[in-house]
Amino acid sequence: MPALCPADAPHDVGAPLGSFDVTRTRQGERSLPMTDAFDGMYDTFKALLDSFPPSEAVKRLEQLGIGAEIIQQIRERHEQQTVRIKELEEPHAVVLGNRDTWYTGPHAKDKCWPAIVDILRKDGWSEDPAIKSLDESSTRVVSLLNHPKEKSYSTRGLVVGYVQSGKTTNFTSVIAKAADRGYKLFIVLAGVHNGLRRQTQARLVQQLVEPNAAMWSQLTGLDRDFTPQENPASYFGKSNGTRVLCVVKKNATVLRKLYRWLEAASDYLKDCPTLIIDDEADQATVATNSINPLILSIMSTLPRCAYVGYTASPFANLLIDPSAEDLYPKDFVVNLPKPDGHFGTEVLFGRYALDGEDPEQVDDGHDMIRSVPEDDVPCVRPMTKADVEGFEPVVTDTLRTAIEYFWLATAARRVRGTGNRHNTMLIHTSVKTVVHDSFRRPLEHLRDHTAGSLSDSALLLRLRGLWDRETAQVPAEEFGETKVPFEALLPELPEVLKSCRIIMDNSNSEYRLDYENGPVTAIAVGGNTLSRGLTLEGLSVSYFVRAVSAYDTLLQMGRWFGFRNGYADLPRIWMTDELAEWFRHLATVETEMRRDVDIYMTEDETPLTFAVRLRTHPALRVTAAAKMRDAVTAASSYGGKRVQTHYFHTDGEWLRGNIAAARGLVSASVANAVSAEERPSEGRFVYRDVPYDLVIDFLSCYRFHEQSPENDADLLTGYIRKRVTAGSLRRWNIAIVGNPRGEGFEFAPGVSVGRNVRARLAVPNPTPGLADIKTLMSRRDAAVDLDGDVSALKEEGIMKRRRAELPDTGLLVLYPIDKVSTPSPSKLRREALNAEEHVIGVGLVFPAPMYDSTVEKYISADLSKIRLEDEDYSILDSDDA
């Protein structure tokens, strides 16, 4: 609003409102005068209030000759100031999603958040959806914090992101918004390695400190972790309005120094709202007898403290004992949205259908995974401790192919001239530094030999074949790119090879990856230093055969996750088929876990009333043993869900046993069913109201593949028995679903249907005897025993119909699958099943119960348990981690 008179005009004490400047106020408030004369009169009124009640103070203003209208304006201003102060001291709450909050988004007067937006715009971020999504997600996190003016609080929260997805940008935005609202001290725990701490310090200085330098003080520097500073009052005294930034490594020595310094400064911290950001919060923070207590000690010195962990692998954090004085995220857990263009686990490896999903709608992932035969593994990784010393790697065919493809992809990216200017390949086979170093000589020899042979026709023929094969499998056009012809990239190859560095990146390395001094083209061989937080810029090729045993370790080693702007068609990963299956399972676990986390924002649940469940795997731990010590087996109901087989052995004996079990069930169903519907022309038979014990007998004979933990016969029969005890699932409908156009398969005399075609997923070097068909049961099949037309019903509609019409009846569907099952030409990622015998697939559909029957296949935090025991990591107690 413009001034109502020139700012330098003379003012009379008794002048009307129109002769004063006015200021803009919040929406709905009256604008009040802002002049030196008015301010003087207002200060006089406030001084009078120290000695007199308001009515007497007003009388004394009148005695001073101040007009009634001005006195009214003074009183209104005093009332507005009082309301503002009260709001700061006793923050109000508004509902945002499923939570009350004091923070609903940035204000026009903010400084730190707008500075970040300006930087992101200059870096090419789009207003919508990129910046808008960041704004919304960071606002969500800040809205879950305490108001900085509350007298005391100790908040514990967790933010779940994706590997290499911009978590640093998100928590930088959270810091900016909290700083704009009055948080003063910001402690960032930046992993356990110097490289990540330095990288984080640089990012925060660039995006927070430099745009508003007068607002910030720093306790750490680019090459300086925390060292005690003199005179804490200069940082935290009431007269100092600056924000204080401290980026520290999760190292026992460093954290101990910080704790002692803060403890000595306790007199100045009573009015110091603090936000602790724990980056890689599952690493070192949980179940350690050095780092964990030190973080808790630091928090104990801060009466107003909010702790927020950030991680893409939150498994350990979600299993902390909630009843202990620990860092279980008791106040909130929130998912970050998956950014557009992000390459995550599911995008690369696909996943399995969750309960309630239509398997046909679940993507297989991009065709970017290449198989490393098990026979190659001993050539690139010592198999025992005794083999480590003196180990000499062999450049196998798959390793050479991966490296040659990296050089070709780098040349193609130079032709395009877009996207990240760096080009990196990762080789990760072992954590041992001596093994890393052993790769230098053979890799340098391969590089030099290739550079000297670029005129060799046999080499060029092989490179051309590799390039044409890879670009045909993953067409550039699917990613909005244009294929670079081999002739176009060939002139770039000599310079690519000349500039390609072989870097051993580990704690003993003299030369490490450095992206700050010009474009990098490098093959990086490493282990732990490359598996946490640190971004491998321009990563396009990974060769990964590292042995792992836990979800979080496996997920964090996936440095290939992230953004690939300008070369989204080019990334490739070489790994064993077993590792690829593990990542596929992990993608399923992640999706299911995030479903549970979303419950906190959509339903009346908190982390203290509902524990996130984590699906288990027969060959992998969820996290380190000490971090699961307080976990309990969680309940997961089969009610309202359908379960189906998609893994099969292909050997004849195993398959013949399942055929016998299926024929036995059908024969018993024919004899015991109350009624039957036979539609052989449609490939359908349904036998109604079969006794449950026939299903139990079938499940005791039918063999599920051991890599299908959700199809565990003991779990299924245990669940059915519990439901039967409660009066449900005593009767079952048994259906047979075949292909009306397929060749016949006989289950019993007069009961024959055509065999279905279910091709297997194609992998370069399939595990002998294993077939994964991914999808068995259609949505329509789950309604095969329902009356009327169900073609228009979705999954939820079918389950509602089942609950209404067949509330206590289960459905078991048998599928005869042709042993050859040649895929149609349109199925590019499928190949013939080629089993030794015909395959029997099984689908089970359970009605939603009126009560909670459960089976055991998940783990979660125990919401009533006691203290967590700790585990030590020796690296965390050293100064040079």
mmCIF file of all heavy atoms in Angstrom, residues 352 548-551 554 577-589 614-623 628 647 705-710 856-859:
data_model
loop_
_atom_site.group_PDB
_atom_site.id
_atom_site.type_symbol
_atom_site.label_atom_id
_atom_site.label_comp_id
_atom_site.label_asym_id
_atom_site.label_seq_id
_atom_site.Cartn_x
_atom_site.Cartn_y
_atom_site.Cartn_z
ATOM 1 N N TYR A 352 7.847 -57.111 -8.045
ATOM 2 C CA TYR A 352 6.718 -58.027 -8.067
ATOM 3 C C TYR A 352 5.453 -57.302 -7.621
ATOM 4 O O TYR A 352 5.508 -56.300 -6.900
ATOM 5 C CB TYR A 352 6.995 -59.234 -7.163
ATOM 6 C CG TYR A 352 8.217 -60.000 -7.605
ATOM 7 C CD1 TYR A 352 9.370 -60.013 -6.832
ATOM 8 C CD2 TYR A 352 8.219 -60.679 -8.814
ATOM 9 C CE1 TYR A 352 10.501 -60.694 -7.248
ATOM 10 C CE2 TYR A 352 9.343 -61.366 -9.244
ATOM 11 C CZ TYR A 352 10.485 -61.369 -8.459
ATOM 12 O OH TYR A 352 11.604 -62.037 -8.876
ATOM 13 N N VAL A 548 26.935 -59.313 -0.501
ATOM 14 C CA VAL A 548 26.275 -58.556 0.562
ATOM 15 C C VAL A 548 25.290 -59.471 1.271
ATOM 16 O O VAL A 548 24.925 -60.536 0.767
ATOM 17 C CB VAL A 548 25.537 -57.324 0.010
ATOM 18 C CG1 VAL A 548 26.486 -56.303 -0.536
ATOM 19 C CG2 VAL A 548 24.541 -57.739 -1.072
ATOM 20 N N SER A 549 24.830 -59.031 2.453
ATOM 21 C CA SER A 549 23.947 -59.893 3.223
ATOM 22 C C SER A 549 22.723 -59.169 3.773
ATOM 23 O O SER A 549 21.914 -59.782 4.444
ATOM 24 C CB SER A 549 24.717 -60.505 4.408
ATOM 25 O OG SER A 549 25.224 -59.483 5.256
ATOM 26 N N ALA A 550 22.583 -57.875 3.503
ATOM 27 C CA ALA A 550 21.477 -57.125 4.107
ATOM 28 C C ALA A 550 20.899 -56.121 3.131
ATOM 29 O O ALA A 550 21.593 -55.609 2.251
ATOM 30 C CB ALA A 550 21.945 -56.409 5.372
ATOM 31 N N TYR A 551 19.601 -55.825 3.297
ATOM 32 C CA TYR A 551 18.903 -54.895 2.415
ATOM 33 C C TYR A 551 19.605 -53.547 2.318
ATOM 34 O O TYR A 551 19.831 -53.018 1.222
ATOM 35 C CB TYR A 551 17.485 -54.620 2.945
ATOM 36 C CG TYR A 551 16.493 -55.739 2.871
ATOM 37 C CD1 TYR A 551 16.822 -56.988 2.354
ATOM 38 C CD2 TYR A 551 15.194 -55.547 3.326
ATOM 39 C CE1 TYR A 551 15.894 -57.999 2.300
ATOM 40 C CE2 TYR A 551 14.251 -56.556 3.277
ATOM 41 C CZ TYR A 551 14.598 -57.785 2.768
ATOM 42 O OH TYR A 551 13.670 -58.780 2.715
ATOM 43 N N LEU A 554 22.932 -53.554 0.504
ATOM 44 C CA LEU A 554 22.717 -53.754 -0.928
ATOM 45 C C LEU A 554 22.205 -52.487 -1.597
ATOM 46 O O LEU A 554 22.712 -52.059 -2.638
ATOM 47 C CB LEU A 554 21.706 -54.895 -1.118
ATOM 48 C CG LEU A 554 21.432 -55.355 -2.548
ATOM 49 C CD1 LEU A 554 22.670 -56.021 -3.136
ATOM 50 C CD2 LEU A 554 20.262 -56.333 -2.576
ATOM 51 N N ASP A 577 22.978 -62.884 -11.788
ATOM 52 C CA ASP A 577 21.523 -63.010 -11.810
ATOM 53 C C ASP A 577 20.955 -63.022 -10.394
ATOM 54 O O ASP A 577 19.852 -62.512 -10.154
ATOM 55 C CB ASP A 577 21.121 -64.293 -12.541
ATOM 56 C CG ASP A 577 21.476 -64.253 -14.018
ATOM 57 O OD1 ASP A 577 21.662 -63.141 -14.546
ATOM 58 O OD2 ASP A 577 21.572 -65.330 -14.641
ATOM 59 N N GLU A 578 21.692 -63.610 -9.460
ATOM 60 C CA GLU A 578 21.219 -63.640 -8.077
ATOM 61 C C GLU A 578 21.101 -62.226 -7.519
ATOM 62 O O GLU A 578 20.097 -61.877 -6.883
ATOM 63 C CB GLU A 578 22.166 -64.461 -7.204
ATOM 64 C CG GLU A 578 21.727 -64.540 -5.745
ATOM 65 C CD GLU A 578 22.706 -65.314 -4.888
ATOM 66 O OE1 GLU A 578 23.916 -64.979 -4.926
ATOM 67 O OE2 GLU A 578 22.263 -66.233 -4.186
ATOM 68 N N LEU A 579 22.105 -61.394 -7.763
ATOM 69 C CA LEU A 579 22.039 -60.015 -7.298
ATOM 70 C C LEU A 579 20.887 -59.264 -7.947
ATOM 71 O O LEU A 579 20.198 -58.472 -7.291
ATOM 72 C CB LEU A 579 23.363 -59.305 -7.595
ATOM 73 C CG LEU A 579 24.498 -59.534 -6.596
ATOM 74 C CD1 LEU A 579 25.807 -59.004 -7.169
ATOM 75 C CD2 LEU A 579 24.192 -58.864 -5.264
ATOM 76 N N ALA A 580 20.661 -59.515 -9.230
ATOM 77 C CA ALA A 580 19.556 -58.841 -9.918
ATOM 78 C C ALA A 580 18.223 -59.224 -9.290
ATOM 79 O O ALA A 580 17.336 -58.376 -9.110
ATOM 80 C CB ALA A 580 19.572 -59.183 -11.404
ATOM 81 N N GLU A 581 18.062 -60.492 -8.927
ATOM 82 C CA GLU A 581 16.821 -60.929 -8.274
ATOM 83 C C GLU A 581 16.684 -60.280 -6.910
ATOM 84 O O GLU A 581 15.588 -59.887 -6.493
ATOM 85 C CB GLU A 581 16.799 -62.454 -8.150
ATOM 86 C CG GLU A 581 15.458 -63.014 -7.680
ATOM 87 C CD GLU A 581 15.260 -62.910 -6.167
ATOM 88 O OE1 GLU A 581 16.248 -63.053 -5.410
ATOM 89 O OE2 GLU A 581 14.115 -62.664 -5.742
ATOM 90 N N TRP A 582 17.795 -60.147 -6.192
ATOM 91 C CA TRP A 582 17.754 -59.497 -4.876
ATOM 92 C C TRP A 582 17.285 -58.042 -5.005
ATOM 93 O O TRP A 582 16.492 -57.564 -4.189
ATOM 94 C CB TRP A 582 19.124 -59.565 -4.212
ATOM 95 C CG TRP A 582 19.486 -60.934 -3.719
ATOM 96 C CD1 TRP A 582 18.719 -62.070 -3.806
ATOM 97 C CD2 TRP A 582 20.704 -61.307 -3.080
ATOM 98 N NE1 TRP A 582 19.399 -63.135 -3.259
ATOM 99 C CE2 TRP A 582 20.614 -62.701 -2.796
ATOM 100 C CE3 TRP A 582 21.860 -60.635 -2.720
ATOM 101 C CZ2 TRP A 582 21.635 -63.402 -2.170
ATOM 102 C CZ3 TRP A 582 22.878 -61.336 -2.096
ATOM 103 C CH2 TRP A 582 22.772 -62.702 -1.819
ATOM 104 N N PHE A 583 17.802 -57.353 -6.009
ATOM 105 C CA PHE A 583 17.374 -55.966 -6.205
ATOM 106 C C PHE A 583 15.897 -55.896 -6.593
ATOM 107 O O PHE A 583 15.188 -54.969 -6.200
ATOM 108 C CB PHE A 583 18.237 -55.277 -7.259
ATOM 109 C CG PHE A 583 19.500 -54.677 -6.714
ATOM 110 C CD1 PHE A 583 20.726 -55.268 -6.948
ATOM 111 C CD2 PHE A 583 19.471 -53.527 -5.946
ATOM 112 C CE1 PHE A 583 21.901 -54.721 -6.436
ATOM 113 C CE2 PHE A 583 20.626 -52.970 -5.428
ATOM 114 C CZ PHE A 583 21.846 -53.574 -5.671
ATOM 115 N N ARG A 584 15.443 -56.860 -7.350
ATOM 116 C CA ARG A 584 14.024 -56.894 -7.717
ATOM 117 C C ARG A 584 13.158 -57.092 -6.462
ATOM 118 O O ARG A 584 12.127 -56.425 -6.288
ATOM 119 C CB ARG A 584 13.783 -58.021 -8.723
ATOM 120 C CG ARG A 584 12.382 -58.030 -9.335
ATOM 121 C CD ARG A 584 12.257 -59.208 -10.311
ATOM 122 N NE ARG A 584 10.946 -59.252 -10.928
ATOM 123 C CZ ARG A 584 10.644 -58.663 -12.070
ATOM 124 N NH1 ARG A 584 11.562 -57.966 -12.718
ATOM 125 N NH2 ARG A 584 9.430 -58.764 -12.575
ATOM 126 N N HIS A 585 13.584 -58.005 -5.609
ATOM 127 C CA HIS A 585 12.881 -58.202 -4.340
ATOM 128 C C HIS A 585 12.935 -56.923 -3.506
ATOM 129 O O HIS A 585 11.933 -56.523 -2.893
ATOM 130 C CB HIS A 585 13.517 -59.354 -3.561
ATOM 131 C CG HIS A 585 13.012 -59.495 -2.162
ATOM 132 N ND1 HIS A 585 11.843 -60.156 -1.846
ATOM 133 C CD2 HIS A 585 13.508 -59.031 -0.978
ATOM 134 C CE1 HIS A 585 11.639 -60.099 -0.545
ATOM 135 N NE2 HIS A 585 12.635 -59.429 0.007
ATOM 136 N N LEU A 586 14.085 -56.281 -3.478
ATOM 137 C CA LEU A 586 14.250 -55.069 -2.685
ATOM 138 C C LEU A 586 13.345 -53.950 -3.191
ATOM 139 O O LEU A 586 12.815 -53.161 -2.399
ATOM 140 C CB LEU A 586 15.714 -54.633 -2.725
ATOM 141 C CG LEU A 586 16.157 -53.527 -1.767
ATOM 142 C CD1 LEU A 586 15.762 -53.847 -0.336
ATOM 143 C CD2 LEU A 586 17.666 -53.348 -1.860
ATOM 144 N N ALA A 587 13.155 -53.871 -4.501
ATOM 145 C CA ALA A 587 12.224 -52.877 -5.046
ATOM 146 C C ALA A 587 10.810 -53.129 -4.527
ATOM 147 O O ALA A 587 10.063 -52.186 -4.236
ATOM 148 C CB ALA A 587 12.241 -52.923 -6.574
ATOM 149 N N THR A 588 10.443 -54.390 -4.395
ATOM 150 C CA THR A 588 9.134 -54.735 -3.846
ATOM 151 C C THR A 588 9.046 -54.337 -2.379
ATOM 152 O O THR A 588 8.033 -53.782 -1.926
ATOM 153 C CB THR A 588 8.884 -56.246 -4.002
ATOM 154 O OG1 THR A 588 9.151 -56.641 -5.353
ATOM 155 C CG2 THR A 588 7.454 -56.601 -3.655
ATOM 156 N N VAL A 589 10.109 -54.603 -1.619
ATOM 157 C CA VAL A 589 10.150 -54.235 -0.199
ATOM 158 C C VAL A 589 10.005 -52.722 -0.041
ATOM 159 O O VAL A 589 9.248 -52.233 0.802
ATOM 160 C CB VAL A 589 11.458 -54.718 0.447
ATOM 161 C CG1 VAL A 589 11.586 -54.195 1.879
ATOM 162 C CG2 VAL A 589 11.536 -56.238 0.447
ATOM 163 N N LEU A 614 8.362 -54.740 7.362
ATOM 164 C CA LEU A 614 9.404 -54.967 6.367
ATOM 165 C C LEU A 614 9.381 -56.434 5.938
ATOM 166 O O LEU A 614 9.589 -57.333 6.752
ATOM 167 C CB LEU A 614 10.782 -54.602 6.936
ATOM 168 C CG LEU A 614 10.915 -53.149 7.432
ATOM 169 C CD1 LEU A 614 12.228 -52.970 8.174
ATOM 170 C CD2 LEU A 614 10.815 -52.165 6.271
ATOM 171 N N ARG A 615 9.130 -56.649 4.665
ATOM 172 C CA ARG A 615 9.050 -58.012 4.135
ATOM 173 C C ARG A 615 10.417 -58.682 4.196
ATOM 174 O O ARG A 615 11.433 -58.072 3.867
ATOM 175 C CB ARG A 615 8.555 -57.957 2.686
ATOM 176 C CG ARG A 615 8.345 -59.319 2.043
ATOM 177 C CD ARG A 615 8.000 -59.189 0.579
ATOM 178 N NE ARG A 615 6.703 -58.551 0.385
ATOM 179 C CZ ARG A 615 5.792 -59.015 -0.470
ATOM 180 N NH1 ARG A 615 6.022 -60.108 -1.170
ATOM 181 N NH2 ARG A 615 4.646 -58.383 -0.626
ATOM 182 N N THR A 616 10.447 -59.921 4.579
ATOM 183 C CA THR A 616 11.710 -60.649 4.713
ATOM 184 C C THR A 616 12.058 -61.386 3.425
ATOM 185 O O THR A 616 11.259 -61.493 2.504
ATOM 186 C CB THR A 616 11.653 -61.638 5.880
ATOM 187 O OG1 THR A 616 10.600 -62.587 5.637
ATOM 188 C CG2 THR A 616 11.382 -60.912 7.192
ATOM 189 N N HIS A 617 13.289 -61.917 3.387
ATOM 190 C CA HIS A 617 13.804 -62.651 2.228
ATOM 191 C C HIS A 617 14.555 -63.874 2.741
ATOM 192 O O HIS A 617 15.238 -63.799 3.773
ATOM 193 C CB HIS A 617 14.742 -61.749 1.416
ATOM 194 C CG HIS A 617 15.201 -62.347 0.121
ATOM 195 N ND1 HIS A 617 16.273 -63.213 0.047
ATOM 196 C CD2 HIS A 617 14.743 -62.210 -1.152
ATOM 197 C CE1 HIS A 617 16.452 -63.582 -1.218
ATOM 198 N NE2 HIS A 617 15.537 -62.980 -1.959
ATOM 199 N N PRO A 618 14.459 -65.009 2.057
ATOM 200 C CA PRO A 618 15.112 -66.219 2.577
ATOM 201 C C PRO A 618 16.631 -66.166 2.592
ATOM 202 O O PRO A 618 17.262 -66.899 3.354
ATOM 203 C CB PRO A 618 14.616 -67.317 1.631
ATOM 204 C CG PRO A 618 14.172 -66.604 0.390
ATOM 205 C CD PRO A 618 13.663 -65.274 0.846
ATOM 206 N N ALA A 619 17.239 -65.280 1.793
ATOM 207 C CA ALA A 619 18.697 -65.259 1.718
ATOM 208 C C ALA A 619 19.325 -63.964 2.203
ATOM 209 O O ALA A 619 20.545 -63.863 2.265
ATOM 210 C CB ALA A 619 19.141 -65.522 0.269
ATOM 211 N N LEU A 620 18.530 -62.965 2.526
ATOM 212 C CA LEU A 620 19.054 -61.654 2.925
ATOM 213 C C LEU A 620 18.502 -61.253 4.288
ATOM 214 O O LEU A 620 17.337 -61.510 4.586
ATOM 215 C CB LEU A 620 18.649 -60.575 1.906
ATOM 216 C CG LEU A 620 19.328 -60.582 0.544
ATOM 217 C CD1 LEU A 620 18.606 -59.613 -0.387
ATOM 218 C CD2 LEU A 620 20.789 -60.194 0.659
ATOM 219 N N ARG A 621 19.357 -60.601 5.084
ATOM 220 C CA ARG A 621 18.855 -59.964 6.293
ATOM 221 C C ARG A 621 18.289 -58.593 5.940
ATOM 222 O O ARG A 621 18.710 -57.974 4.970
ATOM 223 C CB ARG A 621 19.972 -59.782 7.328
ATOM 224 C CG ARG A 621 20.489 -61.067 7.938
ATOM 225 C CD ARG A 621 21.256 -60.749 9.217
ATOM 226 N NE ARG A 621 22.316 -59.770 9.004
ATOM 227 C CZ ARG A 621 23.589 -60.061 8.804
ATOM 228 N NH1 ARG A 621 23.969 -61.319 8.758
ATOM 229 N NH2 ARG A 621 24.486 -59.104 8.625
ATOM 230 N N VAL A 622 17.375 -58.117 6.760
ATOM 231 C CA VAL A 622 16.837 -56.777 6.543
ATOM 232 C C VAL A 622 17.908 -55.733 6.834
ATOM 233 O O VAL A 622 18.069 -54.757 6.106
ATOM 234 C CB VAL A 622 15.589 -56.542 7.421
ATOM 235 C CG1 VAL A 622 15.138 -55.088 7.346
ATOM 236 C CG2 VAL A 622 14.465 -57.463 6.962
ATOM 237 N N THR A 623 18.662 -55.945 7.911
ATOM 238 C CA THR A 623 19.771 -55.070 8.266
ATOM 239 C C THR A 623 20.718 -55.871 9.143
ATOM 240 O O THR A 623 20.538 -57.080 9.319
ATOM 241 C CB THR A 623 19.267 -53.786 8.974
ATOM 242 O OG1 THR A 623 20.351 -52.898 9.183
ATOM 243 C CG2 THR A 623 18.587 -54.095 10.291
ATOM 244 N N MET A 628 18.631 -55.485 14.378
ATOM 245 C CA MET A 628 17.344 -56.184 14.382
ATOM 246 C C MET A 628 17.076 -56.865 15.717
ATOM 247 O O MET A 628 16.087 -57.580 15.856
ATOM 248 C CB MET A 628 17.314 -57.235 13.268
ATOM 249 C CG MET A 628 17.390 -56.684 11.867
ATOM 250 S SD MET A 628 16.985 -57.943 10.626
ATOM 251 C CE MET A 628 18.351 -59.093 10.851
ATOM 252 N N TYR A 647 7.505 -68.086 -9.581
ATOM 253 C CA TYR A 647 8.779 -68.803 -9.705
ATOM 254 C C TYR A 647 8.509 -70.302 -9.825
ATOM 255 O O TYR A 647 7.691 -70.855 -9.078
ATOM 256 C CB TYR A 647 9.639 -68.583 -8.453
ATOM 257 C CG TYR A 647 10.468 -67.339 -8.447
ATOM 258 C CD1 TYR A 647 10.279 -66.361 -7.482
ATOM 259 C CD2 TYR A 647 11.472 -67.147 -9.392
ATOM 260 C CE1 TYR A 647 11.049 -65.214 -7.451
ATOM 261 C CE2 TYR A 647 12.245 -66.009 -9.370
ATOM 262 C CZ TYR A 647 12.033 -65.047 -8.408
ATOM 263 O OH TYR A 647 12.809 -63.917 -8.390
ATOM 264 N N HIS A 705 8.215 -72.727 -5.061
ATOM 265 C CA HIS A 705 9.639 -72.452 -5.200
ATOM 266 C C HIS A 705 10.146 -71.731 -3.957
ATOM 267 O O HIS A 705 9.482 -70.860 -3.395
ATOM 268 C CB HIS A 705 9.901 -71.594 -6.442
ATOM 269 C CG HIS A 705 11.338 -71.573 -6.865
ATOM 270 N ND1 HIS A 705 12.292 -70.817 -6.220
ATOM 271 C CD2 HIS A 705 11.979 -72.235 -7.863
ATOM 272 C CE1 HIS A 705 13.463 -71.004 -6.808
ATOM 273 N NE2 HIS A 705 13.305 -71.860 -7.800
ATOM 274 N N GLU A 706 11.354 -72.089 -3.524
ATOM 275 C CA GLU A 706 11.901 -71.538 -2.284
ATOM 276 C C GLU A 706 12.197 -70.049 -2.371
ATOM 277 O O GLU A 706 12.376 -69.385 -1.343
ATOM 278 C CB GLU A 706 13.174 -72.286 -1.867
ATOM 279 C CG GLU A 706 14.273 -72.323 -2.904
ATOM 280 C CD GLU A 706 14.150 -73.487 -3.878
ATOM 281 O OE1 GLU A 706 13.081 -74.132 -3.923
ATOM 282 O OE2 GLU A 706 15.129 -73.746 -4.609
ATOM 283 N N GLN A 707 12.251 -69.466 -3.579
ATOM 284 C CA GLN A 707 12.466 -68.027 -3.704
ATOM 285 C C GLN A 707 11.146 -67.245 -3.712
ATOM 286 O O GLN A 707 11.119 -66.078 -4.084
ATOM 287 C CB GLN A 707 13.267 -67.710 -4.972
ATOM 288 C CG GLN A 707 14.714 -68.146 -4.890
ATOM 289 C CD GLN A 707 15.575 -67.550 -5.997
ATOM 290 O OE1 GLN A 707 15.226 -66.550 -6.595
ATOM 291 N NE2 GLN A 707 16.707 -68.169 -6.256
ATOM 292 N N SER A 708 10.073 -67.894 -3.288
ATOM 293 C CA SER A 708 8.771 -67.226 -3.195
ATOM 294 C C SER A 708 8.322 -67.220 -1.744
ATOM 295 O O SER A 708 7.460 -68.007 -1.344
ATOM 296 C CB SER A 708 7.737 -67.961 -4.058
ATOM 297 O OG SER A 708 8.123 -67.978 -5.407
ATOM 298 N N PRO A 709 8.922 -66.346 -0.906
ATOM 299 C CA PRO A 709 8.568 -66.368 0.521
ATOM 300 C C PRO A 709 7.111 -66.042 0.795
ATOM 301 O O PRO A 709 6.560 -66.454 1.801
ATOM 302 C CB PRO A 709 9.492 -65.290 1.123
ATOM 303 C CG PRO A 709 9.894 -64.426 -0.026
ATOM 304 C CD PRO A 709 9.935 -65.326 -1.217
ATOM 305 N N GLU A 710 6.463 -65.284 -0.129
ATOM 306 C CA GLU A 710 5.048 -64.987 0.076
ATOM 307 C C GLU A 710 4.178 -66.212 -0.184
ATOM 308 O O GLU A 710 3.012 -66.260 0.208
ATOM 309 C CB GLU A 710 4.605 -63.828 -0.823
ATOM 310 C CG GLU A 710 4.570 -64.135 -2.307
ATOM 311 C CD GLU A 710 5.916 -63.970 -2.992
ATOM 312 O OE1 GLU A 710 6.945 -63.915 -2.298
ATOM 313 O OE2 GLU A 710 5.941 -63.890 -4.224
ATOM 314 N N GLU A 856 3.056 -64.957 9.485
ATOM 315 C CA GLU A 856 4.310 -64.328 9.855
ATOM 316 C C GLU A 856 5.264 -64.339 8.657
ATOM 317 O O GLU A 856 5.781 -65.372 8.279
ATOM 318 C CB GLU A 856 4.933 -65.063 11.044
ATOM 319 C CG GLU A 856 4.043 -65.034 12.290
ATOM 320 C CD GLU A 856 4.607 -65.857 13.417
ATOM 321 O OE1 GLU A 856 5.532 -66.663 13.156
ATOM 322 O OE2 GLU A 856 4.130 -65.724 14.552
ATOM 323 N N LYS A 857 5.478 -63.149 8.077
ATOM 324 C CA LYS A 857 6.435 -63.044 6.982
ATOM 325 C C LYS A 857 7.084 -61.663 6.940
ATOM 326 O O LYS A 857 7.789 -61.336 6.019
ATOM 327 C CB LYS A 857 5.767 -63.346 5.640
ATOM 328 C CG LYS A 857 4.633 -62.380 5.261
ATOM 329 C CD LYS A 857 4.136 -62.670 3.856
ATOM 330 C CE LYS A 857 3.035 -61.703 3.458
ATOM 331 N NZ LYS A 857 2.591 -61.901 2.067
ATOM 332 N N TYR A 858 6.843 -60.849 7.950
ATOM 333 C CA TYR A 858 7.391 -59.502 8.050
ATOM 334 C C TYR A 858 8.033 -59.331 9.422
ATOM 335 O O TYR A 858 7.746 -60.070 10.353
ATOM 336 C CB TYR A 858 6.284 -58.447 7.899
ATOM 337 C CG TYR A 858 5.690 -58.341 6.525
ATOM 338 C CD1 TYR A 858 4.812 -59.306 6.043
ATOM 339 C CD2 TYR A 858 5.997 -57.276 5.700
ATOM 340 C CE1 TYR A 858 4.264 -59.219 4.777
ATOM 341 C CE2 TYR A 858 5.443 -57.170 4.432
ATOM 342 C CZ TYR A 858 4.580 -58.142 3.971
ATOM 343 O OH TYR A 858 4.031 -58.041 2.715
ATOM 344 N N ILE A 859 8.895 -58.312 9.529
ATOM 345 C CA ILE A 859 9.358 -57.887 10.839
ATOM 346 C C ILE A 859 9.077 -56.396 10.996
ATOM 347 O O ILE A 859 8.908 -55.678 10.017
ATOM 348 C CB ILE A 859 10.862 -58.178 11.072
ATOM 349 C CG1 ILE A 859 11.726 -57.388 10.091
ATOM 350 C CG2 ILE A 859 11.145 -59.653 11.018
ATOM 351 C CD1 ILE A 859 13.213 -57.482 10.393
#
